[in-house]
Coordinates of all heavy atoms in Angstrom, one line a residue:
M12 N 14.2 15.4 1.2 CA 12.8 15.7 1.5 C 12.3 16.8 0.5 O 13.0 17.7 0.1 CB 12.8 16.4 2.9 CG 11.4 16.4 3.5 SD 11.4 17.3 5.1 CE 12.9 16.9 6.0
A13 N 11.0 16.6 0.0 CA 10.5 17.5 -1.0 C 8.9 17.4 -0.9 O 8.4 16.5 -0.2 CB 10.9 17.0 -2.4
F14 N 8.3 18.4 -1.5 CA 6.8 18.4 -1.5 C 6.3 18.1 -2.9 O 6.9 18.5 -3.9 CB 6.3 19.8 -1.1 CG 6.4 20.1 0.3 CD1 7.5 20.7 0.9 CD2 5.3 19.8 1.2 CE1 7.6 21.0 2.3 CE2 5.4 20.0 2.5 CZ 6.5 20.6 3.1
E15 N 5.3 17.3 -2.9 CA 4.7 16.9 -4.2 C 3.2 17.1 -4.0 O 2.5 16.5 -3.2 CB 4.9 15.4 -4.6 CG 6.0 15.3 -5.6 CD 6.3 13.8 -5.9 OE1 5.3 13.0 -6.1 OE2 7.5 13.4 -6.0
S16 N 2.6 18.0 -4.8 CA 1.2 18.4 -4.6 C 0.8 18.7 -3.2 O -0.2 18.3 -2.7 CB 0.3 17.2 -5.2 OG 0.6 16.9 -6.5
G17 N 1.7 19.4 -2.5 CA 1.5 19.8 -1.1 C 1.7 18.7 -0.1 O 1.5 18.9 1.1
V18 N 2.2 17.5 -0.5 CA 2.4 16.4 0.4 C 3.9 16.3 0.6 O 4.7 16.3 -0.4 CB 1.8 15.1 -0.1 CG1 2.2 14.0 0.8 CG2 0.3 15.2 -0.3
L19 N 4.4 16.2 1.8 CA 5.8 16.1 2.1 C 6.3 14.7 1.8 O 5.7 13.7 2.2 CB 6.0 16.3 3.6 CG 7.5 16.2 4.1 CD1 8.4 17.2 3.4 CD2 7.6 16.4 5.6
I20 N 7.3 14.6 0.9 CA 7.8 13.3 0.4 C 9.2 13.1 1.0 O 10.1 14.0 0.8 CB 7.9 13.2 -1.1 CG1 6.5 13.6 -1.7 CG2 8.4 11.9 -1.5 CD1 5.4 12.6 -1.5
H21 N 9.4 12.1 1.8 CA 10.7 11.8 2.3 C 11.5 10.9 1.3 O 10.9 9.9 0.8 CB 10.6 11.0 3.7 CG 10.1 11.9 4.7 ND1 10.9 12.7 5.5 CD2 8.8 12.0 5.2 CE1 10.1 13.3 6.4 NE2 8.9 13.0 6.3
T22 N 12.7 11.1 1.2 CA 13.6 10.3 0.4 C 13.8 9.0 1.2 O 14.3 9.1 2.3 CB 14.9 10.9 0.0 OG1 14.6 12.2 -0.6 CG2 15.8 10.0 -0.8
P23 N 13.5 7.8 0.7 CA 13.6 6.6 1.5 C 15.1 6.3 1.8 O 16.0 6.6 1.0 CB 13.0 5.5 0.6 CG 12.7 6.1 -0.7 CD 13.0 7.6 -0.7
L24 N 15.3 5.8 3.0 CA 16.7 5.3 3.3 C 16.7 3.8 3.0 O 15.7 3.1 3.1 CB 16.9 5.5 4.8 CG 16.9 6.9 5.4 CD1 17.1 6.9 6.9 CD2 17.9 7.8 4.7
I25 N 17.9 3.4 2.5 CA 18.0 2.0 2.1 C 17.9 1.1 3.4 O 18.2 1.5 4.5 CB 19.3 1.7 1.4 CG1 20.5 1.9 2.4 CG2 19.5 2.5 0.2 CD1 21.8 1.4 1.8
C26 N 17.5 -0.2 3.1 CA 17.5 -1.2 4.2 C 18.9 -1.6 4.4 O 19.6 -2.0 3.5 CB 16.7 -2.4 3.7 SG 16.8 -3.8 4.9
V27 N 19.3 -1.6 5.7 CA 20.7 -2.0 6.1 C 20.7 -3.3 6.8 O 21.7 -3.8 7.2 CB 21.4 -0.9 7.0 CG1 21.6 0.4 6.2 CG2 20.6 -0.6 8.2
G28 N 19.5 -4.0 6.8 CA 19.4 -5.3 7.4 C 19.5 -5.4 8.9 O 20.0 -6.4 9.5
C29 N 19.1 -4.3 9.6 CA 19.2 -4.3 11.1 C 18.2 -5.3 11.7 O 18.5 -5.7 12.8 CB 18.9 -2.9 11.6 SG 17.2 -2.4 11.6
G30 N 17.2 -5.7 11.0 CA 16.2 -6.7 11.5 C 15.1 -6.2 12.4 O 14.2 -7.0 12.8
W31 N 15.1 -4.9 12.6 CA 14.1 -4.4 13.6 C 12.7 -4.7 13.1 O 11.8 -5.2 13.9 CB 14.3 -2.9 13.8 CG 13.3 -2.4 14.8 CD1 13.6 -2.3 16.1 CD2 12.0 -1.9 14.6 NE1 12.5 -1.8 16.8 CE2 11.5 -1.5 15.9 CE3 11.2 -1.7 13.5 CZ2 10.2 -1.0 16.1 CZ3 9.9 -1.2 13.7 CH2 9.4 -0.9 14.9
C32 N 12.4 -4.4 11.9 CA 11.0 -4.6 11.4 C 10.5 -6.0 11.5 O 9.4 -6.3 12.0 CB 10.8 -4.0 10.0 SG 12.0 -4.8 8.8
C33 N 11.3 -6.9 11.0 CA 10.9 -8.3 11.0 C 10.8 -8.9 12.4 O 10.0 -9.8 12.8 CB 11.8 -9.2 10.1 SG 11.8 -8.6 8.4
L34 N 11.8 -8.5 13.3 CA 11.8 -9.0 14.7 C 10.6 -8.4 15.5 O 10.1 -9.0 16.4 CB 13.1 -8.7 15.4 CG 14.3 -9.6 14.9 CD1 15.6 -9.1 15.4 CD2 14.1 -11.1 15.3
D35 N 10.2 -7.2 15.1 CA 9.1 -6.5 15.8 C 7.8 -7.1 15.4 O 6.9 -7.2 16.3 CB 9.2 -5.0 15.5 CG 8.0 -4.3 16.2 OD1 8.1 -4.2 17.4 OD2 7.2 -3.7 15.5
H36 N 7.6 -7.4 14.1 CA 6.3 -7.9 13.6 C 6.5 -8.7 12.3 O 6.8 -8.1 11.3 CB 5.5 -6.6 13.4 CG 4.1 -6.9 13.1 ND1 3.1 -7.2 14.0 CD2 3.4 -7.0 11.9 CE1 1.9 -7.4 13.5 NE2 2.1 -7.3 12.2
P37 N 6.2 -10.0 12.4 CA 6.3 -10.8 11.2 C 5.3 -10.2 10.1 O 4.2 -9.8 10.4 CB 5.9 -12.2 11.6 CG 6.2 -12.2 13.1 CD 6.0 -10.8 13.6
C38 N 5.8 -10.3 8.9 CA 4.9 -9.7 7.8 C 3.8 -10.7 7.4 O 3.7 -11.8 7.9 CB 5.8 -9.4 6.6 SG 6.4 -10.9 5.7
D39 N 2.9 -10.2 6.5 CA 1.8 -11.1 6.1 C 2.3 -12.4 5.5 O 1.6 -13.4 5.7 CB 1.0 -10.3 5.0 CG 0.2 -9.2 5.6 OD1 0.2 -9.1 6.9 OD2 -0.4 -8.4 4.9
Q40 N 3.4 -12.4 4.7 CA 3.8 -13.6 4.1 C 4.3 -14.6 5.1 O 4.2 -15.8 5.0 CB 4.9 -13.3 3.0 CG 4.4 -12.7 1.7 CD 3.7 -11.3 1.9 OE1 4.3 -10.5 2.6 NE2 2.5 -11.2 1.4
S41 N 4.9 -14.1 6.2 CA 5.4 -14.9 7.2 C 4.2 -15.6 7.9 O 4.2 -16.8 8.2 CB 6.2 -14.1 8.3 OG 6.5 -14.9 9.4
I42 N 3.2 -14.8 8.2 CA 2.0 -15.3 8.8 C 1.3 -16.3 7.9 O 0.8 -17.4 8.4 CB 1.0 -14.2 9.2 CG1 1.7 -13.3 10.3 CG2 -0.3 -14.7 9.7 CD1 1.0 -12.0 10.6
H43 N 1.2 -16.0 6.7 CA 0.6 -17.0 5.7 C 1.3 -18.3 5.7 O 0.7 -19.4 5.7 CB 0.6 -16.4 4.3 CG 0.0 -17.2 3.3 ND1 -1.4 -17.4 3.2 CD2 0.5 -17.9 2.3 CE1 -1.6 -18.2 2.2 NE2 -0.5 -18.6 1.6
R44 N 2.6 -18.3 5.8 CA 3.4 -19.5 5.7 C 3.5 -20.3 7.0 O 3.5 -21.5 7.1 CB 4.8 -19.3 5.1 CG 5.7 -20.5 5.0 CD 7.0 -20.2 4.3 NE 6.9 -20.1 2.9 CZ 7.9 -20.1 2.0 NH1 9.1 -20.2 2.5 NH2 7.7 -20.0 0.7
H45 N 3.7 -19.5 8.1 CA 4.1 -20.1 9.4 C 3.0 -19.9 10.5 O 3.2 -20.4 11.6 CB 5.4 -19.5 9.9 CG 6.5 -19.7 8.9 ND1 7.1 -20.9 8.7 CD2 7.2 -18.8 8.1 CE1 8.1 -20.8 7.8 NE2 8.2 -19.6 7.4
G46 N 2.0 -19.1 10.2 CA 1.0 -18.8 11.3 C 1.6 -17.7 12.2 O 2.6 -17.1 11.9
Y47 N 0.8 -17.5 13.3 CA 1.3 -16.4 14.2 C 2.4 -16.9 15.0 O 2.2 -17.8 15.8 CB 0.1 -16.0 15.0 CG -1.0 -15.3 14.2 CD1 -2.2 -15.9 13.9 CD2 -0.8 -14.0 13.8 CE1 -3.1 -15.3 13.1 CE2 -1.7 -13.3 13.0 CZ -2.9 -14.0 12.7 OH -3.9 -13.4 11.9
T48 N 3.6 -16.3 14.9 CA 4.7 -16.7 15.6 C 5.3 -15.5 16.3 O 5.1 -14.4 15.9 CB 5.8 -17.3 14.7 OG1 6.2 -16.3 13.7 CG2 5.3 -18.5 13.9
D49 N 6.1 -15.8 17.4 CA 6.7 -14.7 18.1 C 7.9 -14.1 17.2 O 8.2 -12.9 17.3 CB 7.3 -15.2 19.4 CG 6.2 -15.4 20.4 OD1 5.1 -14.9 20.3 OD2 6.4 -16.2 21.4
R50 N 8.5 -15.0 16.5 CA 9.6 -14.6 15.6 C 9.5 -15.3 14.3 O 9.3 -16.5 14.2 CB 10.9 -15.0 16.3 CG 12.2 -14.5 15.6 CD 13.3 -15.4 15.8 NE 14.6 -14.8 15.3 CZ 14.9 -14.8 14.0 NH1 14.1 -15.3 13.1 NH2 16.1 -14.3 13.7
C51 N 9.7 -14.5 13.2 CA 9.6 -15.1 11.9 C 10.7 -16.1 11.7 O 11.9 -15.7 11.8 CB 9.7 -14.0 10.9 SG 9.7 -14.6 9.2
P52 N 10.4 -17.3 11.3 CA 11.4 -18.3 11.1 C 12.3 -18.1 9.8 O 13.3 -18.7 9.6 CB 10.6 -19.6 10.9 CG 9.3 -19.3 11.4 CD 9.0 -17.9 11.2
E53 N 11.8 -17.2 9.0 CA 12.5 -16.9 7.7 C 13.7 -15.9 7.9 O 14.6 -15.9 7.1 CB 11.6 -16.2 6.7 CG 10.3 -17.1 6.4 CD 10.7 -18.3 5.5 OE1 11.7 -18.4 4.9 OE2 9.8 -19.2 5.5
L54 N 13.7 -15.2 9.0 CA 14.7 -14.2 9.2 C 16.0 -14.9 9.8 O 15.9 -15.7 10.7 CB 14.2 -13.1 10.2 CG 15.1 -11.9 10.5 CD1 15.1 -11.0 9.2 CD2 14.7 -11.2 11.7
F55 N 17.1 -14.6 9.2 CA 18.3 -15.1 9.7 C 19.5 -14.1 9.6 O 19.5 -13.2 8.8 CB 18.7 -16.4 9.0 CG 19.2 -16.2 7.5 CD1 20.5 -16.1 7.2 CD2 18.2 -16.1 6.5 CE1 20.9 -15.9 5.9 CE2 18.6 -15.9 5.2 CZ 19.9 -15.8 4.9
W56 N 20.4 -14.2 10.6 CA 21.6 -13.4 10.6 C 22.6 -14.0 9.6 O 23.0 -15.1 9.7 CB 22.2 -13.2 12.0 CG 23.4 -12.5 12.0 CD1 24.7 -13.0 12.1 CD2 23.6 -11.0 11.9 NE1 25.6 -12.0 12.0 CE2 25.0 -10.8 11.9 CE3 22.7 -10.0 11.7 CZ2 25.5 -9.5 11.8 CZ3 23.2 -8.7 11.7 CH2 24.6 -8.5 11.7
S57 N 23.1 -13.2 8.7 CA 24.1 -13.6 7.8 C 25.5 -13.1 8.2 O 25.7 -11.9 8.2 CB 23.9 -13.1 6.3 OG 25.0 -13.3 5.5
A58 N 26.4 -14.0 8.7 CA 27.7 -13.5 9.1 C 28.5 -13.0 7.9 O 29.3 -12.1 8.1 CB 28.4 -14.7 9.8
E59 N 28.2 -13.6 6.8 CA 28.9 -13.2 5.6 C 28.6 -11.8 5.2 O 29.4 -11.0 4.8 CB 28.6 -14.2 4.5 CG 29.3 -13.9 3.2 CD 28.9 -14.9 2.1 OE1 28.1 -15.8 2.3 OE2 29.4 -14.7 0.9
A60 N 27.3 -11.5 5.2 CA 26.8 -10.1 4.8 C 26.8 -9.1 6.0 O 26.6 -7.9 5.8 CB 25.4 -10.2 4.2
S61 N 26.9 -9.6 7.2 CA 26.8 -8.8 8.4 C 25.5 -8.1 8.5 O 25.5 -6.9 8.8 CB 28.0 -7.8 8.5 OG 29.2 -8.5 8.6
R62 N 24.4 -8.8 8.2 CA 23.1 -8.2 8.3 C 22.1 -9.3 8.3 O 22.4 -10.5 8.1 CB 22.8 -7.3 7.1 CG 23.0 -8.0 5.8 CD 22.4 -7.2 4.6 NE 21.0 -7.1 4.7 CZ 20.3 -6.2 4.1 NH1 20.9 -5.3 3.3 NH2 19.0 -6.1 4.2
Y63 N 20.9 -9.0 8.7 CA 19.8 -9.9 8.6 C 19.3 -10.0 7.2 O 19.3 -9.0 6.5 CB 18.6 -9.5 9.5 CG 18.8 -9.8 11.0 CD1 19.2 -8.8 11.9 CD2 18.6 -11.1 11.5 CE1 19.4 -9.1 13.2 CE2 18.7 -11.4 12.8 CZ 19.2 -10.4 13.7 OH 19.4 -10.7 15.0
L64 N 18.8 -11.2 6.8 CA 18.3 -11.5 5.5 C 17.0 -12.3 5.7 O 16.8 -12.9 6.7 CB 19.3 -12.2 4.6 CG 20.6 -11.4 4.2 CD1 21.6 -12.4 3.6 CD2 20.2 -10.3 3.3
C65 N 16.2 -12.3 4.6 CA 14.9 -13.0 4.6 C 15.1 -14.2 3.7 O 15.3 -14.1 2.5 CB 13.8 -12.1 4.1 SG 12.3 -13.0 3.7
A66 N 15.0 -15.4 4.2 CA 15.2 -16.7 3.4 C 14.1 -16.8 2.4 O 14.4 -17.2 1.3 CB 15.2 -17.9 4.4
M67 N 12.9 -16.3 2.7 CA 11.8 -16.5 1.7 C 12.0 -15.6 0.5 O 11.8 -15.9 -0.6 CB 10.4 -16.1 2.4 CG 9.3 -16.7 1.6 SD 7.6 -16.1 2.1 CE 7.7 -16.3 3.9
A68 N 12.6 -14.4 0.8 CA 12.9 -13.5 -0.3 C 14.0 -14.0 -1.2 O 14.1 -13.6 -2.4 CB 13.3 -12.1 0.2
M69 N 14.8 -14.9 -0.7 CA 15.9 -15.5 -1.5 C 15.5 -16.8 -2.2 O 16.2 -17.4 -3.0 CB 17.1 -15.8 -0.6 CG 17.6 -14.5 0.0 SD 18.8 -14.8 1.4 CE 20.2 -15.2 0.4
D70 N 14.2 -17.3 -1.9 CA 13.7 -18.5 -2.4 C 13.5 -18.4 -3.9 O 12.9 -17.4 -4.4 CB 12.4 -18.9 -1.7 CG 11.9 -20.2 -2.1 OD1 11.2 -20.3 -3.1 OD2 12.1 -21.2 -1.4
A71 N 13.9 -19.4 -4.6 CA 13.8 -19.4 -6.1 C 12.4 -19.3 -6.6 O 12.1 -18.7 -7.6 CB 14.5 -20.6 -6.7
D72 N 11.5 -19.9 -5.8 CA 10.0 -19.9 -6.2 C 9.3 -18.8 -5.6 O 8.6 -18.0 -6.4 CB 9.4 -21.3 -5.8 CG 10.0 -22.4 -6.5 OD1 10.4 -22.3 -7.7 OD2 10.2 -23.5 -5.9
A73 N 9.3 -18.6 -4.3 CA 8.5 -17.6 -3.7 C 9.1 -16.2 -3.6 O 8.5 -15.2 -3.3 CB 8.2 -18.1 -2.2
G74 N 10.4 -16.1 -3.9 CA 11.2 -14.9 -3.7 C 10.6 -13.7 -4.4 O 10.5 -12.6 -3.8
A75 N 10.3 -13.9 -5.7 CA 9.9 -12.7 -6.5 C 8.6 -12.1 -5.9 O 8.4 -10.9 -5.9 CB 9.7 -13.1 -8.0
Y76 N 7.7 -13.0 -5.5 CA 6.4 -12.5 -5.0 C 6.6 -11.7 -3.7 O 6.1 -10.6 -3.6 CB 5.4 -13.6 -4.8 CG 4.1 -13.2 -4.2 CD1 3.2 -12.5 -5.0 CD2 3.8 -13.3 -2.8 CE1 2.0 -12.1 -4.5 CE2 2.6 -12.9 -2.3 CZ 1.7 -12.2 -3.2 OH 0.5 -11.8 -2.7
I77 N 7.3 -12.2 -2.7 CA 7.4 -11.5 -1.5 C 8.3 -10.2 -1.7 O 8.0 -9.2 -1.1 CB 8.0 -12.4 -0.3 CG1 8.0 -11.6 1.0 CG2 9.4 -12.9 -0.7 CD1 8.4 -12.4 2.2
R78 N 9.2 -10.3 -2.5 CA 10.0 -9.0 -2.8 C 9.1 -8.0 -3.3 O 9.2 -6.8 -3.0 CB 11.2 -9.3 -3.7 CG 12.3 -10.2 -3.1 CD 13.6 -10.1 -3.9 NE 13.4 -10.5 -5.3 CZ 13.5 -11.8 -5.7 NH1 13.8 -12.8 -4.9 NH2 13.4 -12.1 -7.0
E79 N 8.1 -8.4 -4.2 CA 7.2 -7.4 -4.8 C 6.2 -6.8 -3.7 O 6.1 -5.6 -3.6 CB 6.5 -8.0 -6.0 CG 5.5 -6.9 -6.6 CD 4.8 -7.5 -7.7 OE1 5.1 -8.7 -8.1 OE2 3.8 -6.9 -8.2
V80 N 5.6 -7.7 -3.0 CA 4.5 -7.2 -2.1 C 5.0 -6.6 -0.9 O 4.4 -5.7 -0.3 CB 3.5 -8.4 -1.8 CG1 2.8 -8.9 -3.0 CG2 4.2 -9.5 -1.0
Q81 N 6.2 -6.9 -0.5 CA 6.9 -6.3 0.7 C 7.7 -5.0 0.2 O 8.3 -4.4 1.0 CB 7.8 -7.2 1.4 CG 7.0 -8.3 2.2 CD 6.1 -7.7 3.2 OE1 6.4 -6.7 3.9 NE2 4.9 -8.3 3.4
R82 N 7.7 -4.8 -1.1 CA 8.4 -3.7 -1.7 C 9.9 -3.6 -1.2 O 10.4 -2.6 -0.9 CB 7.7 -2.4 -1.3 CG 6.3 -2.3 -1.8 CD 5.7 -0.9 -1.8 NE 4.4 -0.9 -2.5 CZ 4.2 -0.7 -3.8 NH1 5.2 -0.6 -4.6 NH2 3.0 -0.7 -4.3
M83 N 10.5 -4.8 -1.2 CA 11.9 -4.9 -0.9 C 12.7 -4.1 -1.9 O 12.4 -4.2 -3.1 CB 12.3 -6.3 -0.8 CG 11.7 -7.0 0.4 SD 12.2 -8.7 0.5 CE 11.3 -9.3 2.0
G84 N 13.7 -3.4 -1.5 CA 14.5 -2.6 -2.4 C 14.0 -1.2 -2.5 O 14.6 -0.4 -3.2
E85 N 12.9 -0.9 -1.9 CA 12.3 0.5 -2.0 C 12.5 1.3 -0.8 O 11.9 2.4 -0.7 CB 10.8 0.4 -2.4 CG 10.6 -0.2 -3.7 CD 9.1 -0.2 -4.1 OE1 8.4 0.7 -3.6 OE2 8.7 -1.1 -4.9
G86 N 13.3 0.9 0.1 CA 13.7 1.7 1.3 C 13.3 1.0 2.6 O 12.6 0.0 2.6
C87 N 13.7 1.7 3.7 CA 13.4 1.2 5.0 C 12.1 1.6 5.5 O 11.7 2.7 5.3 CB 14.5 1.7 6.0 SG 14.3 1.3 7.7
C88 N 11.3 0.6 6.2 CA 10.0 0.9 6.7 C 10.0 1.6 8.0 O 9.0 2.0 8.6 CB 9.2 -0.3 6.7 SG 9.8 -1.6 7.7
A89 N 11.2 1.6 8.7 CA 11.3 2.2 10.0 C 12.6 3.0 10.1 O 13.5 2.7 10.8 CB 11.3 1.1 11.1
P90 N 12.7 4.1 9.3 CA 13.9 4.8 9.2 C 14.4 5.5 10.4 O 15.6 5.8 10.5 CB 13.6 5.8 8.1 CG 12.1 6.0 8.1 CD 11.6 4.7 8.5
Q91 N 13.6 5.6 11.4 CA 14.0 6.3 12.7 C 14.4 5.3 13.8 O 14.8 5.8 14.9 CB 13.0 7.3 13.1 CG 12.7 8.4 12.1 CD 11.8 9.5 12.6 OE1 11.1 9.3 13.7 NE2 11.7 10.5 11.9
N92 N 14.4 4.1 13.5 CA 14.7 3.1 14.6 C 16.3 3.1 14.7 O 17.0 3.2 13.8 CB 14.2 1.7 14.3 CG 15.1 0.8 13.6 OD1 16.0 0.2 14.2 ND2 14.9 0.6 12.3
R93 N 16.7 3.0 16.0 CA 18.1 3.2 16.3 C 19.0 2.0 15.9 O 20.2 2.1 15.9 CB 18.2 3.4 17.8 CG 17.6 4.8 18.2 CD 17.8 5.0 19.7 NE 17.2 6.3 20.1 CZ 17.2 6.8 21.3 NH1 17.7 6.1 22.3 NH2 16.6 7.9 21.6
W94 N 18.3 0.8 15.7 CA 19.1 -0.3 15.3 C 19.9 -0.1 13.9 O 20.9 -0.7 13.6 CB 18.2 -1.6 15.1 CG 17.8 -2.1 16.4 CD1 17.8 -1.5 17.7 CD2 17.1 -3.4 16.6 NE1 17.3 -2.4 18.6 CE2 16.8 -3.5 18.0 CE3 16.8 -4.4 15.8 CZ2 16.2 -4.6 18.5 CZ3 16.2 -5.6 16.3 CH2 15.9 -5.7 17.7
R95 N 19.3 0.8 13.1 CA 19.9 1.1 11.8 C 21.4 1.5 11.9 O 22.2 1.2 11.0 CB 19.1 2.2 11.1 CG 17.8 1.8 10.5 CD 17.2 3.0 9.7 NE 18.2 3.5 8.8 CZ 18.3 3.1 7.5 NH1 17.5 2.1 7.1 NH2 19.2 3.6 6.7
T96 N 21.7 2.2 13.0 CA 23.1 2.7 13.1 C 23.9 1.7 14.0 O 25.1 2.1 14.3 CB 23.1 4.1 13.8 OG1 22.4 4.0 15.0 CG2 22.4 5.1 12.9
D97 N 23.4 0.6 14.3 CA 24.2 -0.4 15.1 C 23.7 -1.8 14.7 O 23.1 -2.5 15.4 CB 23.9 -0.2 16.6 CG 24.7 -1.1 17.5 OD1 25.8 -1.6 17.0 OD2 24.4 -1.3 18.6
V98 N 24.0 -2.1 13.5 CA 23.6 -3.4 12.9 C 24.4 -4.6 13.5 O 25.6 -4.6 13.3 CB 23.7 -3.4 11.3 CG1 23.2 -4.7 10.7 CG2 22.9 -2.2 10.8
K99 N 23.7 -5.5 14.1 CA 24.4 -6.6 14.7 C 23.3 -7.7 15.0 O 22.1 -7.5 14.9 CB 25.0 -6.2 16.0 CG 24.1 -5.8 17.1 CD 24.8 -5.2 18.3 CE 23.8 -4.7 19.4 NZ 24.5 -4.1 20.5
Q100 N 23.8 -8.9 15.3 CA 22.9 -10.0 15.6 C 22.2 -9.7 16.9 O 22.9 -9.5 17.9 CB 23.6 -11.3 15.6 CG 22.7 -12.5 15.7 CD 23.4 -13.9 15.5 OE1 24.6 -13.9 15.4 NE2 22.6 -14.9 15.3
R101 N 20.9 -9.8 16.9 CA 20.1 -9.4 18.1 C 19.5 -10.6 18.8 O 19.0 -10.5 19.9 CB 19.0 -8.5 17.7 CG 19.4 -7.2 17.0 CD 19.9 -6.2 18.0 NE 20.3 -4.9 17.3 CZ 20.6 -3.8 17.9 NH1 20.5 -3.7 19.3 NH2 21.0 -2.8 17.3
D102 N 19.5 -11.8 18.2 CA 18.9 -12.9 18.9 C 19.6 -14.2 18.5 O 20.6 -14.2 17.8 CB 17.4 -13.0 18.6 CG 17.1 -13.2 17.1 OD1 18.1 -13.0 16.2 OD2 16.0 -13.5 16.7
Ligands
LIG29 S1 14.0 -1.7 10.0 FE1 14.7 -0.9 8.0 S2 16.9 -1.3 7.9 FE2 16.1 -2.6 9.5 S3 15.6 -4.5 8.4 FE3 13.7 -3.3 8.5 S4 13.7 -2.2 6.5 FE4 15.8 -2.9 6.8
LIG30 S1 9.1 -13.4 5.8 FE1 10.9 -12.2 5.4 S2 10.1 -10.1 5.3 FE2 8.5 -11.3 6.3 S3 8.9 -11.0 8.5 FE3 10.0 -12.9 7.8 S4 12.1 -12.3 7.4 FE4 10.8 -10.4 7.4

């Protein structure tokens, strides 16, 4: 945690793939591709990685764009959610 020009800056926590953000609310790219859904069809549990992953982000064609606009790799968007400390398949 630090201040920059009087603004409190939090050091981002890495994404651990808990799935909370995507299960709570599909992102714009999910809505653009699939419409309004209860659950984003792109999200899947990877037994190999023991975390949720985004199929669209791994796509050879669309992956670079969604990774950029969703700022993947720049930290967790919900750092205080409790799923982060108990990563498991939820659905
Ligand atoms: S809530 Fe954070 S840790 Fe969990 S999947 Fe989303 S970005 Fe990753
Ligand atoms: S498209 Fe990817 S990032 Fe967006 S809600 Fe679905 S799984 Fe999450």
Side-chain angles (χ1 to χ4, degrees):
M12 196 184 324
F14 283 93
E15 261 180 41
S16 304
V18 177
L19 181 61
I20 306 295
H21 290 276
T22 303
L24 299 178
I25 64 165
C26 171
V27 294
C29 74
W31 186 88
C32 55
C33 300
L34 288 171
D35 179 64
H36 188 81
C38 73
D39 289 351
Q40 283 65 46
S41 175
I42 293 169
H43 180 72
R44 179 176 282 191
H45 300 288
Y47 293 105
T48 59
D49 288 338
R50 187 209 187 280
C51 175
E53 303 289 340
L54 188 70
F55 68 97
W56 174 258
S57 167
E59 185 181 354
S61 296
R62 57 168 293 163
Y63 281 99
L64 292 170
C65 170
M67 200 188 315
M69 301 167 74
D70 185 277
D72 296 323
Y76 179 74
I77 187 174
R78 289 196 303 272
E79 180 181 352
V80 297
Q81 290 298 322
R82 298 195 174 277
M83 293 180 180
E85 296 185 23
C87 175
C88 61
Q91 296 186 350
N92 94 78
R93 293 182 181 176
W94 288 14
R95 283 185 53 89
T96 57
D97 184 21
V98 179
K99 62 187 178 185
Q100 188 169 11
R101 303 276 180 174
D102 63 345

